[in-house]
Structures are given as structure tokens and as C-alpha cells.
Amino acid sequence: MAQPNFAVPVPQRPQNVDRTKRSWPIGFAIAAVVIFIFYSFILPYLTPDIRTVVQHWMPLGTINTALIWAMSALGLNIVVGYAGLLDLGYVAFWALGGYAAAWLMSYFVPVSAINILGNAAPGTKTGLHLNILLVLIGAAAFCALFGVIIGAPTLRLRSDYLALVTLGFGEIIPQIFKNGDDFFGHNISNGTQSIGPIDAVEGVTARTTVVAGVAQHTDVGWGDLLAFDHSGRFIMFTLLTALIIFISLRIRQGRLGRAWLAIREDELAASAMGVPLMRAKLAAYAVGAVAGGICGVAYALQLNRMLPDPFTFSVSITLLAMVVLGGMGNVWGVLVGALLIAWFNSTGLPEIGDTVNGTFGTNIDFPSYSFLIFGGTLVIMMLFRREGLLPERRTRLVLHEGAAGDTQAEEPDEELVDQAGAVK
Amino acid sequence: MAQSPTAAASLPKSRLRLSAYGERVAAYTILAAVFAWLVVNFLDNPQQFLSAAVFGISNGALYALIALGYSLVYGIIELINFAHGDLFMLGTLFSGFIITVVFGSKAMSAMGWVAFLVALVLVILFCASINMSIEFLAYRRLRHAPKLAPLITAVGMSFVLQFVGLKWNGSTQKSQPSVLPQGYIDLGGVRIYTSFLIVLAVTIPILGLMTWIVTKTRMGKAMRATAQDQDAARLMGVNVNRIISFTFGIGGALAGVAGLMYEQTVGTTRYDLGLQLGLIAFTAAVLGGIGSLPGAVLGGVLIGLIQGLNEGVRYGAGQRWTQSVVFSILILFMVFKPTGLMGVSMREKV
Amino acid sequence: MTETQTAVPEAEAPAPAALSAENITVTFGGLVAVNDVSFTVPDQSIVSLIGPNGAGKTTFFNALTGLYQPDRGGRVVLNGLDVTGMSPNRIASLGLARTFQNIRLFNLMTAEENVKVAMHSHLKSGVFGTVLGLPWQRREEREAHEVALELLDFVGIGKTAYEYARNLSYGDQRRLEVARALALKPRVVLLDEPTAGMNPRESAAFVEFVHRVRDERKVSVLLIEHDMSVVMRVSERITVLDRGEKIAEGTAEEVRTNPRVVEAYLGSSAGDNHITIADEEGE
Ligand SMILES: Nc1ncnc2c1ncn2[C@@H]1O[C@H](COP(=O)(O)OP(=O)(O)O)[C@@H](O)[C@H]1O
Ligand SMILES: [Mg+2]
């Protein structure tokens, strides 16, 4: 054998996987605890000025909303970032998860009340009332099922066709909920009337007693989360987000994660290496959908009701912008991208607008610029920083390969060639 | 999703063929159901049926114009140009602008046809140049990038154009004046609106012109060469950049024409019109066989017809389900017959 | 570790066919790329498929591995099992592995990961096991890792285990393709022009390597090869395709002297022992 034989592999740290430190849960938990303490125990005791600023720019409710978006974005990242399947209808899972929650924990289902470790409001006579954990599992399973149903017909399609089919489902499913007061004669969603209220969940409550505008003391307890109990929801959403991050990271390292990346890299070669394309893609849809379902439940809790209107195409696009901005395939990048865009969308943009308008005496409707901002984000990121703000290592490598290829492949330019006459 | 190591001996021999058979059965069943539905509705009330059909075909002609833009671009660079529908939306706004602002009240009088023709020329230039600029600024740079990149860019562009529409027209439906003769002809209870005739009178020559350009002119031949094999075309002396730019120009022009016709016949528009109609038109392109020009026209007319019937006959699902019906068609076609009615299939070269 | 060209280890009696293809026809529109070709690969043998460019060799491989469906009447039998019409991944996991003429690695995965991808069908871990990190799951991953390193060593690129595939040199990429194919634990490996781009010295080493693959991995090797010095030294049997038709079959000597083969290659430049047909595009 002419080639040298290396008996012992040179020990080298694998740089293959994004070497997320094993300790990420600790960092994550510390961040969460700090935020919790700040909003529950510190903020109420600060001066009114500071309180106003924080309430305007970064209320805890906004953080919660951002976490909800992050859950979905992380789910979409599994489909788009890992497996390379462009899904333009991800909003469907969000809606499905939300309605699953609405069915499983409210008066809505027309049966006399069935309470399974649930928390039905006193006097509720009908409906299913499941424990929140069961609801989460149920919604996740329901969405996974739909992930498979939606995924199945798309499996053989080329990538761009697939984008459209998912888009189609993303439009059909919310439309079904919207027209769901008469879905083949059945009421499945109250249509635009919304289902609500949803059973309150129990959680940590941190309530500050205020006397004459001055905070006296903060009591931490356990009880039903009311509309303004953001702290409890914050804890819950943080845990759910952590769960989705955990799943994303773990799965990426395993057999399935490798199969997804292989499909993303070269589908045909992957199949020739024994990777069952259909199964692997379905799994990507299903796992991605689970995150969407969990996000939907969180959304229903946040809103305390479920209505069909928010589930538009632009939600799917916003999610895509989050994934693209953060860096497709990179969990941490996507998390940051999602939090950033969600904050910007719900609080940042209006506040910046108010500030600018207040300062310069202008009257610009900043939130109406969100179309430009999201559209522009997608375009600019694709043109100039395809790897995202926090790229996954492996993506960074090929990033600018395209640009280099461009210059080589283009023709010297116009006239000469053109005058010679095109095709005979 | 655990997959057991392969138990070699006990495999079904030809799963594939079986599923192909099942697919065929499913496809024919669906076709039969559609046919039965048509017959039932026709017998129920022929006049209503025909009126709905005529209305649908008129819409379909517009869809065909938009679908052509998708199909042309897809045919040449395999990109689903998501922004195309929004370009059409800008076309409606621009036409309305020309007719109301430039011609104003005169538009209602004898100047009507002049206003219409001027608007036609201007909207063609307007939309064609926007489409070419988008190609030049964005898609061109991504021609060698992974496929996901231009697609995402197109989605982003769509949003940027919607933003323009939002700023231009506000967030609510705005109605715009028509300068064309109103009214309808009654043919034994079947109403044929004048606007329908005008749409046909404009659309058919334009489609003829398109066919001529693509099949007969040097530019058209270069387009087809580029579509088949960019590198080969380049070697043959085709200026590929220019051809692609030209294709976007034509697609934009068609979207502009569709915009004007829509503005004149339907009369209301909104910034998100492009999303709805664009997707319907894209479905039309897929239905006909994306990349095929006659296919796009056929698909457009069929989708228009389906929509018209769905909304206009007794056993239709009604307007609120139109989108779901159209998307279901899209999905069914992509699954059962991704090449559409008139497309050709290709095998990936290994 | 030197084998002579013709020696077949062990079995003298006609070995059972590891792979047999019957009446394979592949058409593209009007073009008949492969026309009614039948062909067997005996167990643990090294056989070659040669022919001018465009003869349909790669297309034939694609039909064997399920990437193309052979036209009606064609049959592919692997290990006694009819695999015609099965999906490529099914066929691959049943023991038919391949490399690609124009290298198709998973560029943004490391060499080690590339190899592990091909073990997919032999591993069992599912979503839940992976997420929960169950002990046997971890053990399976560890074992896969070791096997991957071992395979990379086997093909001589153990040092590059953690490099991204796209950063490997051309030769190493070809080796990685072989390692990846072997990770499927195949019965038959199809190598599509494995020495393309290699220099004569490397090609010579390759002959040894193919024998090593056959003997140590207990597989049959089916080779598409342009380098006649390699073909003649390595193959137990050679099949010649021309314009989609099988025009000759036999030992190296028989094929070399076959008038139809000589004719098929006529006009070709034989420089460097590479057989190339220069003006295929002419028609
Ligand atoms: N996907 C395809 N579509 C159309 N023609 C093809 C395709 N793949 C191969 N061919 C044609 O089939 C013939 C055989 O090609 P190939 O099998 O690649 O030859 P070889 O590998 O022997 O050089 C060639 O004429 C080639 O152009
Ligand atoms: Mg070949």
C-alpha cells in the first residue's frame, strides 16, 4: 500500500459540531433568574422615572412575547436550518398548537366538564380541562401529526415547490380556523369570535404591594396566573424555550441531525448513502412542528384566548427573517435573532418611533415600516451576509463562495457577444 | 423514527409502483368528483353557472397574464419570483394614479380611451423597469448561490414592494375609477360584462405578441437557449445577463398590463392584493406546467373558472373558502402532477 | 500484501452473484443511454466497466443504485433479492454502495460525519433516545465514531477526520467517498472513475487499494475506469459498453483483443493510457 497508514488518529478536538459548552443550561438559568429578580424585586422599588423607561422599552410582557416567537423560530430552524427545507407556512403549527390548547383547556368542547388535573374556573360546566403539562404534550403530538400530514405530500418535491406547498398549508389552516364556526357544519373554533377565556395555569406569582405609589413589599407565591402575572409566565416560557433549545442541540448531534445536514448538503448523495429521505424529512417536519405546537400553547396562555386573525403569511415570514438574521442552523444565532426581531416588532419600533417623533416633532408611523424592515432584512442578509449575524461555523465557510463563483462565471460583458448575434 | 437495520428478505417487491397506481386512482377519483360537481351545478341553474363561468374566465385572463410572469422567470432561472404578485399590485396602484391624478375628471369623458392607452404604456414601462431593477440589484448577485438564497430574497422583495404599496395607498381598500364603458350584454340570461370583452380584447393580442416574441424573435430564441442551458447559451454567444434582464422586463410588463386591467375591471386595490392574487396566479402557472407559456395561460383560465364557479354557483364553497380551494389545487397538482398539465419532466443529472 | 491480478481468493467454483442486472435499459426522451445490458458481479470479485465517454456507464450505475428507474423488463438483483424499483436508500442499505464520478460529499460536514451519515441505516437511535441521551444511544454513537475513524484510516485519511469535506484535497475527497461507501457495510461497491485526477503513481497505488478493499472488507468491487493500466491489472472480468450497448465481456486479454472494442476506441487518443473520445459533442 503506497499510502501511509495512520494507525492512530491524531487526537484532535472535533470542531465539527458547534461546540456549545455543556454548561449552557447554567448560563441560561442565570440569565433567567437575573431577569426574574430584576422585574419582581428590584424594578418596583426603583424611581418612577426608571420604572417608566423600563415599562416602555422593555416590559416583561414583551420579553414573554419574544420568547414565544423564539420558540417558533427555533422550530423553524430545525426545518430550514438543519434540513434545508424552506417552510413558508410555519404559522400553521403555531395556530394548531394554540387551538389545541384552546380545545384542551377551556369551556369550548361541548361535553360536560371533564377535568384531568386541570384548573377549570369555578362554575364552568362544559369543556375539557387538562393539566398544562398534558396540554403541552397533547399540542406537541397534535402538531407533530400535522407536521407529518403536511410534510408527507411535499416529500418528493423540489425545494422551491416544497416552499409553496407549505405556504399553501400555512394559508389553508388559519383559514379553516377563521371560517371554523361552520366547518362542514361544525363549530371548531368560534370563527373570528375567538375561544376564551382559557383556564388559568398555576405558576409562580410575584406580587408587589403598593401603597400610595410606593412599593412596600413583594410576595412570592404559587397560584393562578392572572393577566398581569408576567413573572410566572416568564418562568414558564423560559423553561419551554430551554426545552426546545435542548432538543435542537441534542438532536443535531445524533443520527437524525446528521441525516438532516446531509440532506441539506446533497439530497441525492444522502439517499445513495442509505439515508431515507422521506423519513428524515418527515422527522424534521414533525420535530419542527412540536416546537410550533409548544409555542402555540404558550401563545394561548399569554393571550388567555385564541383567535384566528394573527396567523397570517407575514408571521411565517417574520419567523423566517428571525432564522435568517440569526444564522440558519445555529441555535444560538436564531435565539438572538428571534428575541431581537420580536422585541423590535412589538416594542422597539413603536418606542423608537415615539422618541423620534417626540424629539423632532415629526409624525412618522414607525410600525408601518415593519414590512420594509423584515423584507429588507431578508434581502440584505441574503445579499451581504448569508450566514446570519451569528453564523454556524460550517455555514460561514461557504458563504462567500457564491460571490467568488459569480465573477468567474459571468461573461466579459455585453456588446461583443451581443452583436455577434444570439442564437442562429 | 428509529429505523431498524434492514431485514433484507421480507421486503415488498415494488412499493413504488403500487403507490404510483394508488396515485393514479386518487387522481382520477378527484377528476371524476370535479366533473360531477360541474354537471350538478350546471343542471341546477345553467344561467347562473354560465354567468359565473364567464366572470371566472375574465378573471382567469388576468391570472394568465400574471402567471406568465412567474412562468417566464421560472423557466429561465428556476426562481419562484415571489415579488411578482406585488409588482402587479403596484401596477394597479400606478394605473389608478395615472388615471385619477394625471387625467382626473377628464378621464370620464371622451378622454377615457386616451387615458386608458396612456396608462397602458406607462404602466408597462413602470412595472418592467421595477422588475428589471430588482433582478439587477438582487437576484443577479445570487445566481450562483444556493437555491434557498434567491428564494428568500424574493420573499423579502415581496415585502419591500408591499411596503411601497402600503405607503402609497394606505392600509385599507381604495377604489379607483374606471374609464371603460360599463354595463353588460344579456345573452339569454347569461350576463357578459363589457369589461370582460375588453379584458379579452387586450389580453389576447398581448398573449399573441408574447408567443411571437418567444418563438420567432432572436431575443426569444436566446431566451429559450438560456433557459435550457445557461453555460451552453453563453458559449454560443448569448449575453445571458441581458436575456435574463429582458425576461424580467417582459414579465414585469405583463404584470403591469394585468394591473391596469384589474384596476379597470375590479376597481379596488390594497397593498396585500399582490400576495393573494400572486399566489393564485402562481397556482395557475403550476397547474399549467411551470415554464410552459401556453400552460400558464391555460392554467390561468382554469383557475379563474374554478374560482368563479366556486363563488358563483349554488353548491360552491363560497368566497371565504376560495383561497383554500385554490391552495388545495396547488397542493394536489404539486403532489400528483408536479409538471402540470403542459410541462415536461426532467431527470436530475448525476 | 501483494495480490496478482487474476487470483480469486477462496472460492474456485463459480461464486454466487453478489449483484446481477438483467436487461437494463435507460432512455432519456429519445436517447437510449443504456440498451438492454445484462451483467453480473460475482461474490468478492473485482470487475470493470469500460467504454468511451458517453457510453452510458454512469447511467448504468444510476440504474443499479435506484437513482434512475430502468425501463420495463429490467431487473436488478442484489444478493438474491430483487431490488428493482426500490428507493435508492433502500438499495444502499441492502448493501449496494457507490461513489460518484463528480464527487458528491457533504461539503459542510467533517470527514468523520460524512462517514457516519452512511452508517445511518445501521444505527438505531431515534428522536427520543437522542434527546434523552440514553446510555445505549451514547454507546452506539461512540461505536459509530470509532468505526468512522477506522474507515478513514483504512483509506488513508485518518488525519483529516475533523476537516470539512470541502477542505480536503481532491485525492482525499475521492478517498473519503470510498470510506463513506464502505461505511454502508456493502456487499458490492461501485466506484465511478475513482482514479480521475490521480497521477500515475497514485493510480498504481490504487490497484493495491482496490484489492485491499475487496479482501479486507469482503466486498465485490465494480469499477468504472478510464485508466487502462489500472483496468487491465485489477479486473477479473471486464465489460465494455459503447453507445449504451454491451459490446464485449471477458478477461482483460479477451477484451483487449476483441475487434469491436478496438473499433469502439478507434480514433481515440491513447496518450497516458487514458482512453478518451475527443469529439462526442460533434453529433
Ligand atoms: N439526466 C440525463 N438526461 C439526459 N441525458 C443524459 C442524462 N444523463 C446522461 N445522459 C446521456 O446519456 C449518455 C450516457 O451518459 P453517461 O452514462 O454519463 O456516460 P459515461 O458515464 O459512460 O461517460 C450521454 O449521452 C449523456 O449525455
Ligand atoms: Mg460517467
Side-chain angles (χ1 to χ4, degrees):
Chain A
M1 194 68 215
Q3 306 146 358
N5 232 334
F6 303 99
V8 187
V10 182
Q12 225 174 337
R13 262 192 99 57
Q15 353 139 316
N16 52 335
V17 237
D18 331 60
R19 281 267 128 195
T20 317
K21 298 217 173 51
R22 288 268 143 79
S23 55
W24 73 264
I26 298 174
F28 198 81
I30 290 174
V33 169
V34 167
I35 292 174
F36 177 76
I37 291 178
F38 175 77
Y39 280 96
S40 303
F41 297 100
I42 299 179
L43 185 63
Y45 303 92
L46 297 176
T47 66
D49 288 352
I50 299 181
R51 285 213 307 266
T52 313
V53 169
V54 174
Q55 286 310 333
H56 272 164
W57 286 88
M58 188 64 87
L60 197 50
T62 293
I63 297 182
N64 287 346
T65 308
L67 286 172
I68 292 176
W69 281 93
M71 293 177 213
S72 259
L74 288 166
L76 183 62
N77 180 51
I78 289 178
V79 183
V80 180
Y82 283 180
L85 308 165
L86 184 53
D87 185 339
L88 294 178
Y90 195 79
V91 68
F93 299 120
W94 188 333
L96 285 166
Y99 274 99
W103 293 328
L104 294 179
M105 49 191 303
S106 79
Y107 67 88
F108 180 72
V109 176
V111 292
S112 71
I114 298 176
N115 202 331
I116 307 177
L117 306 174
N119 191 18
T124 314
K125 298 223 171 47
T126 60
L128 303 173
H129 303 276
L130 269 60
N131 183 275
I132 179 66
L133 290 178
L134 296 177
V135 172
L136 282 167
I137 293 170
F142 183 61
C143 284
L145 177 71
F146 263 87
V148 172
I149 291 175
I150 292 178
T154 66
L155 291 172
R156 286 172 313 171
L157 302 179
R158 322 157 39 117
S159 58
D160 39 7
Y161 278 31
L162 185 145
L164 275 163
V165 171
T166 53
L167 192 161
F169 278 111
E171 296 286 309
I172 290 175
I173 286 176
Q175 192 164 57
I176 288 175
F177 286 123
K178 191 175 256 168
N179 300 334
D181 45 351
D182 178 15
F183 184 63
F184 295 109
H186 300 282
N187 177 10
I188 58 165
S189 71
N190 278 353
T192 49
Q193 299 282 295
S194 88
I195 299 178
I198 287 170
D199 299 347
V201 231
E202 288 182 53
V204 177
T205 57
R207 290 174 186 149
T208 304
T209 311
V210 181
V211 175
V214 180
Q216 304 296 316
H217 52 92
T218 301
D219 302 311
V220 175
W222 182 265
D224 285 0
L225 297 182
L226 305 177
F228 48 84
D229 281 328
H230 293 305
S231 314
R233 255 180 229 108
F234 172 74
I235 294 175
M236 194 188 302
F237 293 174
T238 308
L239 288 175
L240 291 176
T241 308
L243 174 71
I244 294 172
I245 293 174
F246 179 76
I247 293 176
S248 300
L249 292 175
R250 266 291 170 81
I251 249 181
R252 161 67 195 86
Q253 317 271 11
R255 177 176 90 124
L256 203 51
R258 279 195 302 272
W260 289 338
L261 253 72
I263 290 175
R264 183 182 84 181
E265 293 294 302
D266 189 336
E267 191 169 318
L268 195 139
S271 75
M273 293 306 133
V275 174
L277 298 182
M278 308 232 172
R279 268 163 179 270
K281 287 183 182 177
L282 273 187
Y285 274 115
V287 176
V290 163
I294 292 175
C295 155
V297 175
Y299 183 73
L301 295 182
Q302 167 94 338
L303 235 59
N304 198 25
R305 61 195 320 109
M306 203 55 206
L307 66 172
D309 300 321
F311 301 109
T312 59
F313 181 54
S314 60
V315 172
S316 297
I317 296 309
T318 308
L319 288 170
L320 185 65
M322 290 168 172
V323 174
V324 166
L325 184 73
M328 288 189 263
N330 175 15
V331 169
W332 299 112
V334 171
L335 179 70
V336 171
L339 296 177
L340 207 66
I341 288 187
W343 171 80
F344 201 71
N345 212 0
S346 62
T347 306
L349 202 53
E351 284 303 319
I352 292 171
D354 283 353
T355 310
V356 171
N357 287 338
T359 315
F360 300 103
T362 49
N363 188 19
I364 302 169
D365 177 16
F366 274 74
S368 72
Y369 283 76
S370 62
F371 273 107
L372 180 64
I373 290 166
F374 295 133
T377 304
L378 290 178
V379 173
I380 288 170
M381 294 302 290
M382 281 298 116
L383 285 179
F384 302 110
R385 210 176 149 80
R386 220 179 294 150
E387 68 271 37
L389 293 180
L390 291 174
E392 193 199 23
R393 246 243 205 64
R394 68 188 69 236
T395 343
R396 208 177 320 163
L397 287 167
V398 265
L399 276 168
H400 300 289
E401 176 187 27
D406 262 348
T407 41
Q408 293 170 6
E410 270 347 295
E411 63 264 88
D413 239 335
E414 15 216 314
E415 293 95 1
L416 265 180
V417 205
D418 208 58
Q419 282 165 2
V423 177
K424 304 281 133 63
Chain B
M1 297 255 69
Q3 195 199 1
S4 52
T6 43
S10 62
L11 277 168
K13 205 178 113 198
S14 47
R15 212 161 16 118
L16 256 157
R17 261 177 248 147
L18 238 155
S19 78
Y21 180 74
E23 260 170 36
R24 189 161 298 172
V25 171
Y28 284 129
T29 313
I30 292 168
L31 277 184
V34 169
F35 187 73
W37 179 78
L38 288 176
V39 170
V40 166
N41 277 303
F42 181 76
L43 295 180
D44 179 59
N45 184 345
Q47 278 147 13
Q48 188 190 32
F49 183 88
L50 290 177
S51 298
V54 167
F55 179 74
I57 291 176
S58 150
N59 269 344
L62 294 181
Y63 295 154
L65 286 174
I66 309 174
L68 272 171
Y70 280 110
S71 221
L72 278 170
V73 167
Y74 192 89
I76 205 153
I77 57 171
E78 299 217 330
L79 167 72
I80 296 173
N81 184 9
F82 263 95
H84 192 74
D86 305 285
L87 186 67
F88 155 77
M89 177 273 298
L90 287 185
T92 63
L93 293 184
F94 185 79
S95 321
F97 168 79
I98 296 291
I99 286 170
T100 48
V101 176
V102 178
F103 285 89
S105 53
K106 279 178 286 179
M108 294 301 148
S109 57
M111 290 288 282
W113 283 103
V114 178
F116 180 79
L117 289 177
V118 170
L120 182 65
V121 172
L122 290 181
V123 79
I124 283 177
L125 293 177
F126 176 78
C127 287
S129 51
I130 292 185
N131 216 19
M132 287 163 85
S133 314
I134 292 176
E135 193 273 330
F136 180 75
L137 293 175
Y139 304 150
R140 181 170 299 188
R141 295 155 182 267
L142 295 172
R143 219 172 280 160
H144 300 277
K147 222 169 167 182
L148 219 52
L151 201 55
I152 293 176
T153 309
V155 173
M157 275 298 172
S158 153
F159 266 56
V160 172
L161 295 190
Q162 282 191 53
F163 168 77
V164 175
L166 182 66
K167 283 287 143 192
W168 191 348
N169 194 44
S171 60
T172 51
Q173 288 276 5
K174 293 267 162 62
S175 55
Q176 293 166 328
S178 172
V179 293
L180 298 178
Q182 305 294 311
Y184 58 84
I185 307 166
D186 199 313
L187 283 183
V190 180
R191 286 180 179 185
I192 299 180
Y193 286 86
T194 328
S195 58
F196 167 67
L197 298 174
I198 295 169
V199 167
L200 288 191
V202 174
T203 311
I204 291 174
I206 284 179
L207 293 178
L209 186 69
M210 275 291 311
T211 316
W212 179 75
I213 289 178
V214 173
T215 54
K216 292 286 171 351
T217 64
R218 222 174 63 176
M219 218 49 173
K221 284 178 188 167
M223 268 168 75
R224 283 182 294 149
T226 309
Q228 282 203 350
D229 187 338
Q230 267 185 40
D231 294 323
R234 189 172 288 131
L235 290 176
M236 301 297 287
V238 174
N239 183 338
V240 169
N241 273 341
R242 195 147 140 190
I243 294 302
I244 292 176
S245 195
F246 178 73
T247 310
F248 272 84
I250 293 194
L254 292 171
V257 175
L260 174 67
M261 300 313 298
Y262 186 89
E263 191 267 336
Q264 287 298 301
T265 53
V266 179
T268 60
T269 181
R270 198 169 69 175
Y271 71 97
D272 59 358
L273 177 72
L275 185 63
Q276 300 162 14
L277 261 77
L279 289 172
I280 292 179
F282 184 82
T283 306
V286 169
L287 181 67
I290 191 152
S292 149
L293 300 186
V297 176
L298 176 68
V301 173
L302 281 180
I303 286 282
L305 198 57
I306 290 164
Q307 185 192 3
L309 291 177
N310 177 52
E311 293 174 6
V313 299
R314 172 136 163 231
Y315 300 107
Q319 188 169 12
R320 65 182 199 157
W321 289 108
T322 288
Q323 234 181 331
S324 293
V325 169
V326 170
F327 280 123
S328 304
I329 293 172
L330 176 73
I331 293 167
L332 286 174
F333 255 84
M334 286 194 156
V335 172
F336 289 122
K337 196 152 177 14
T339 53
L341 294 173
M342 301 177 80
V344 284
S345 66
M346 279 170 283
R347 270 172 163 171
E348 186 181 359
K349 199 159 178 174
V350 186
Chain C
M1 264 199 30
T2 24
E3 298 280 341
T4 46
Q5 296 89 308
T6 44
V8 186
E10 280 122 44
E12 260 83 60
L19 173 72
S20 72
E22 296 158 24
N23 311 100
I24 301 294
T25 302
V26 181
T27 48
F28 298 112
L31 174 76
V32 184
V34 175
N35 191 2
D36 199 21
V37 174
S38 299
F39 182 71
T40 38
V41 179
D43 205 21
Q44 294 203 36
S45 61
I46 300 175
V47 295
S48 293
L49 189 60
I50 65 170
N53 269 329
K57 305 180 297 292
T58 299
T59 306
F60 184 63
F61 265 27
N62 290 340
L64 294 180
T65 49
L67 296 179
Y68 294 162
Q69 293 297 314
D71 291 357
R72 208 166 262 281
R75 236 161 71 92
V76 181
V77 179
L78 177 65
N79 263 335
L81 179 74
D82 187 344
V83 299
T84 325
M86 285 186 193
S87 59
N89 60 281
R90 206 78 178 120
I91 296 178
S93 58
L94 288 173
L96 185 57
R98 70 173 294 170
T99 67
F100 291 93
Q101 179 177 355
N102 43 345
I103 302 172
R104 295 186 84 143
L105 291 166
F106 308 119
N107 281 323
L108 295 185
M109 302 174 82
T110 63
E112 183 250 12
E113 280 185 305
N114 265 273
V115 176
K116 284 203 287 192
V117 167
M119 294 179 199
H120 190 95
S121 54
H122 302 298
L123 304 179
K124 297 193 184 80
S125 54
V127 174
F128 291 104
T130 310
V131 169
L132 299 178
L134 302 177
W136 65 268
Q137 214 89 71
R138 286 162 180 260
R139 180 157 20 92
E140 185 184 83
E141 272 298 307
R142 214 166 34 240
E143 283 164 9
H145 174 71
E146 277 154 20
V147 173
L149 292 184
E150 193 238 322
L151 275 169
L152 290 171
D153 277 341
F154 178 77
V155 301
I157 53 170
K159 251 208 308 210
T160 62
Y162 305 115
E163 302 270 344
Y164 286 110
R166 66 185 303 271
N167 295 348
L168 299 184
S169 72
Y170 186 78
D172 285 354
Q173 291 193 349
R174 286 227 172 271
R175 292 200 176 95
L176 178 54
E177 278 229 331
V178 176
R180 190 175 66 168
L182 291 175
L184 273 162
K185 299 190 196 149
R187 281 292 298 275
V188 183
V189 185
L190 313 182
L191 305 177
D192 197 343
E193 304 202 14
T195 65
M198 286 189 185
N199 62 36
R201 211 180 53 97
E202 287 171 324
S203 296
F206 179 77
V207 173
E208 303 270 352
F209 177 66
V210 173
H211 282 122
R212 223 158 59 83
V213 168
R214 193 259 314 263
D215 298 339
E216 293 181 23
R217 296 282 150 183
K218 306 273 184 277
V219 296
S220 310
V221 179
L222 169 56
L223 203 62
I224 292 180
E225 189 47 69
H226 274 311
D227 187 333
M228 283 303 140
S229 69
V230 171
V231 172
M232 295 300 162
R233 284 171 59 199
V234 86
S235 324
E236 286 149 21
R237 292 185 73 75
I238 298 174
T239 300
V240 189
L241 285 189
D242 184 30
R243 294 167 202 228
E245 313 251 1
K246 182 162 90 173
I247 57 169
E249 192 167 31
T251 62
E253 201 48 46
E254 287 162 10
V255 164
R256 204 198 323 250
T257 54
N258 185 315
R260 286 191 70 186
V261 177
V262 175
E263 191 193 341
Y265 278 106
L266 204 70
S268 63
S269 64
D272 217 11
N273 278 336
H274 286 271
I275 294 184
T276 44
I277 298 290
D279 50 358
E280 270 290 292
E281 305 95 318
E283 13 190 76

